[in-house]
Amino acid sequence: MTRGQEPIEKLIELLARLPGLGPRSARRAALHLVRKRDLLLAPLAEAMAEVARSVRPCLECGNLSTAERCAICADPRRDAAQICVVQDVADLWAMERSSAYRGRYHVLGGLLNALDGTGPEELGLPRLAERVREGVSEVILALPATIDGQTTAHYVADILPEGVQATSLAQGVPVGGELDFLDDGTIGAALRARRSL
Amino acid sequence: MTRGQEPIEKLIELLARLPGLGPRSARRAALHLVRKRDLLLAPLAEAMAEVARSVRPCLECGNLSTAERCAICADPRRDAAQICVVQDVADLWAMERSSAYRGRYHVLGGLLNALDGTGPEELGLPRLAERVREGVSEVILALPATIDGQTTAHYVADILPEGVQATSLAQGVPVGGELDFLDDGTIGAALRARRSL
Ligand SMILES: [Zn+2]
Ligand SMILES: [Zn+2]
């Protein structure tokens, strides 16, 4: 637009790249931020800088954390014999909101897909296979009911050693449904009714 | 949620306060930001800090600017004999996108409203009256067709000195329509067909 407005133009351009915000809602958001400079804009700038600085994937499970091992991996009260495999961190958060699960996680960060070149290595599956050998008795595959999701679930089930049970969320998960869209009770019910693969 | 996630929890909580983002889209946005740490998260944190630091209302017209006088007020090619009165900066941006207007602005930052205590002082109307005395020949009232908008328009028209024409956008502006929702051509047509109050 005009010279003196460059920083706010830049802010709008970046806000418009967030999922769910278009150019118009990015302009509205930028004006809202300027109006709430002390209550929202400055704290949000600081929160973003802090996340950029300190939040990293947990070396063990892929959850986001400020520590090398996330709070779930570091919590001795979480059952180390169960690992729940999820597509991404949003799904881990959805599982946690259901309060139905007391084990640990493996966050894939994607699904097996030959076309886009996502293989077992990209999803940390060798690392998962290693973790499973350390006293894990059950791997819960909480993956989408899509072709890629089910391909990935069966791949993981196949690499598990003898004696480790592979289960999947069953009752209540709609076909093609993503965990993050479900209410917490549905997730809890699906977890309790999980079945062997 | 859990300890090691505090910075991202804080980020989600703040993002959810943006207009157009709820808790769920705030979580999606936060994960998107972490995934695009270098391309989006860090630049956005910096852009927000820069806006918080440097962007202020123009002392003359109320537009947002990094300078005391905004680029429009400082531009000698803009017609100083015309002032367009708008409710907020989003409306100024909408006028600018239409490229139909080459005068200057007065940004009210609100509308007259006895109930919420918004009076002429809050809207900078004494300052506008002063500016008008310095060689302004026309004041274009580009205000919403709501009761508060029209009350404000008539108040401004009444305080203008003899010989200063008050006009309003006419053709093409839908009743109750906000400028920022209109396409650029509609704004241009309404501006060209403006009528005397
Ligand atoms: Zn972890
Ligand atoms: Zn100005």
Side-chain angles (χ1 to χ4, degrees):
Chain A
M1 220 169 274
T2 40
R3 265 169 309 131
Q5 289 178 331
E6 282 156 10
I8 202 156
E9 289 298 306
K10 173 106 191 166
L11 175 58
I12 291 168
E13 190 254 306
L14 291 167
L15 283 172
R17 291 199 226 155
L18 288 177
L21 288 185
R24 181 162 193 288
S25 46
R27 291 196 297 270
R28 290 261 148 203
L31 282 179
H32 184 77
L33 285 166
V34 172
R35 282 186 206 114
K36 309 244 168 195
R37 186 188 307 267
D38 296 334
L39 278 171
L40 191 52
L41 177 55
L44 196 48
E46 179 44 45
M48 285 186 177
E50 176 64 23
V51 166
R53 200 158 44 225
S54 70
V55 173
R56 293 286 182 284
C58 168
L59 292 179
E60 200 153 327
C61 76
N63 184 18
L64 292 175
S65 174
T66 53
E68 291 207 340
R69 295 180 78 220
C70 75
I72 294 171
C73 287
D75 185 346
R77 290 162 308 178
R78 304 288 299 224
D79 187 351
Q82 281 186 318
I83 291 180
C84 178
V85 177
V86 291
Q87 182 179 355
D88 64 27
V89 174
D91 295 331
L92 182 155
W93 291 345
M95 290 289 295
E96 288 297 288
R97 285 197 302 279
S98 80
S99 300
Y101 181 61
R102 300 300 303 160
R104 295 187 178 168
Y105 291 95
H106 178 87
V107 180
L108 295 170
L111 295 171
L112 290 176
N113 185 308
L115 288 180
D116 69 16
T118 307
E121 196 69 53
E122 282 76 26
L123 306 182
L125 293 181
R127 182 163 44 82
L128 174 63
E130 234 170 80
R131 285 179 71 196
V132 166
R133 269 177 233 112
E134 293 156 9
V136 169
S137 61
E138 180 180 3
V139 172
I140 302 170
L141 295 149
L143 296 174
T146 58
I147 292 176
D148 286 354
Q150 295 313 299
T151 303
T152 308
H154 283 103
Y155 182 96
V156 173
D158 285 348
I159 63 170
L160 297 180
E162 282 295 306
V164 177
Q165 199 184 7
T167 60
S168 67
L169 299 187
Q171 185 196 330
V173 180
V175 173
E178 284 182 62
L179 284 190
D180 194 30
F181 279 90
L182 297 179
D183 66 283
D184 305 344
T186 302
I187 292 179
L191 185 76
R192 283 186 296 273
R194 67 190 180 272
R195 57 181 171 72
S196 288
L197 275 191
Chain B
M1 219 168 272
T2 39
R3 263 169 310 130
Q5 289 177 332
E6 281 157 11
I8 202 154
E9 289 298 306
K10 172 107 191 168
L11 174 59
I12 292 169
E13 190 254 307
L14 290 167
L15 283 172
R17 291 200 226 157
L18 288 177
L21 288 185
R24 183 166 189 287
S25 46
R27 290 196 297 268
R28 290 261 150 202
L31 282 178
H32 185 77
L33 285 166
V34 171
R35 279 184 208 116
K36 309 245 169 197
R37 187 187 306 266
D38 297 333
L39 279 173
L40 191 52
L41 176 55
L44 196 48
E46 180 44 45
M48 285 187 178
E50 176 63 25
V51 167
R53 199 158 45 223
S54 70
V55 173
R56 293 287 182 282
C58 169
L59 291 179
E60 201 153 327
C61 77
N63 185 17
L64 292 175
S65 174
T66 53
E68 290 206 340
R69 294 180 77 222
C70 74
I72 294 171
C73 288
D75 185 346
R77 291 162 306 176
R78 303 289 300 226
D79 187 351
Q82 281 187 319
I83 291 180
C84 179
V85 178
V86 290
Q87 181 179 355
D88 66 26
V89 174
D91 296 331
L92 183 155
W93 290 344
M95 291 289 296
E96 289 297 288
R97 286 197 302 278
S98 81
S99 301
Y101 180 62
R102 298 301 304 160
R104 297 188 177 167
Y105 290 95
H106 177 86
V107 179
L108 297 170
L111 296 171
L112 289 177
N113 186 307
L115 287 182
D116 70 15
T118 307
E121 195 69 53
E122 280 77 26
L123 306 182
L125 293 182
R127 181 163 46 82
L128 174 63
E130 236 172 76
R131 286 178 71 196
V132 166
R133 269 177 232 113
E134 294 157 6
V136 169
S137 62
E138 181 181 2
V139 172
I140 301 168
L141 295 149
L143 296 175
T146 58
I147 292 177
D148 286 353
Q150 294 313 300
T151 301
T152 307
H154 283 102
Y155 182 95
V156 173
D158 285 347
I159 62 170
L160 298 181
E162 282 296 305
V164 177
Q165 201 184 7
T167 59
S168 67
L169 299 187
Q171 186 196 328
V173 180
V175 173
E178 284 182 61
L179 284 188
D180 194 29
F181 279 90
L182 298 178
D183 65 285
D184 306 345
T186 302
I187 291 178
L191 185 74
R192 283 187 295 275
R194 65 189 180 274
R195 55 181 172 75
S196 288
L197 276 191

